[in-house]
Amino acid sequence: MLKIKRIGKKIFYFDSIDSTNEFVKSLVVGDEGEVDGAIVIANEQTKGKGRLKRRWLSGRGGIYISLVLRQRDVRNVSVLNVLSALPVAKSIKNLGLDCTIKWPNDFIIKGKKVGGILGELVSSGEKSYAIIGIGLNTNIDISRFPGEFRNSTTSIKKELGTDISNNKLIEDLLKEYESFFAEYEKGEYQELLKKYKELSVTLGKQVVVKCTDKTIEGLALDILTDGSLLVKAGAEEKKVLEGDVVECRALS
Ligand code: BTN
């Protein structure tokens, strides 16, 4: 049974919805009362959104969930976005899988993506909320994915060779998130960043990061307290706040 402190005070459950993140936005701007701690869960999404304006394939069998967290200081949202990968990775590891994190918040098993997070910020009046939208390929048959995704993606079903209970994983994930958030609220970012870095497949690698307006190539040096990736590109050190690591190679 889920012990609720902060997360899961209100639970909205849908069999099918366009996007759980979009639903949160309608809650925040509508007159829904306090939505801090609310969660939205769907069995499928018809317009699932990925990072950098990509789509997120959201057929039945996967997990699609958005958590809503009131933010007193919106400057913390970018680090929250990155660190939010920790409790999710932990819950995947609890299934016995070797899950790592590709900056900022992609979940990787044996080099392939099994899920990701779309973090968004939404405000209404004086209140601001972080939306942590988590998508996981759990009981998904990857061979049915379009060709462009098939080679780079995996599912928990594929890795374990069996279906899992989405409900149990969601329960575990929310439990992990509850303890993560207690630590996060105390402002203990250094400790959380340390744990994040231990699971990072990006740090210490030669990376190519695609940003909206440019591509940065270099050595991934560090993840900073605002969640940005520090890349040594030639003689310069560049701070990347948003982007997609499209290549990640060990130094030869
Ligand atoms: C990524 O591009 O890696 C992020 C994917 C995030 C998908 C989740 S599914 C739940 C939530 N609702 C959405 O429309 N997107 C996020």
Side-chain angles (χ1 to χ4, degrees), residues 55 57 142-153:
R55 67 182 166 137
L57 296 174
I142 296 297
S143 62
R144 297 201 176 164
F145 270 13
E148 77 233 62
F149 296 100
R150 234 174 280 149
N151 288 337
S152 55
T153 308

Side-chain angles (χ1 to χ4, degrees), residues 18-22 40 45 47-52 54-56 58 63-66 105-107 113 115-120 131-136 244:
D18 54 353
S19 151
T20 54
N21 273 30
E22 287 305 306
V40 185
Q45 296 184 120
K47 281 189 187 157
K49 302 189 313 165
R51 288 194 312 109
L52 306 170
R54 291 177 301 214
R55 67 182 166 137
W56 185 257
S58 309
I63 288 180
Y64 314 104
I65 179 167
S66 296
N105 43 29
D106 284 352
F107 305 106
K113 181 159 168 169
I117 292 182
L118 172 64
E120 298 189 272
I131 310 172
I132 307 295
I134 304 157
L136 292 176
D244 200 30

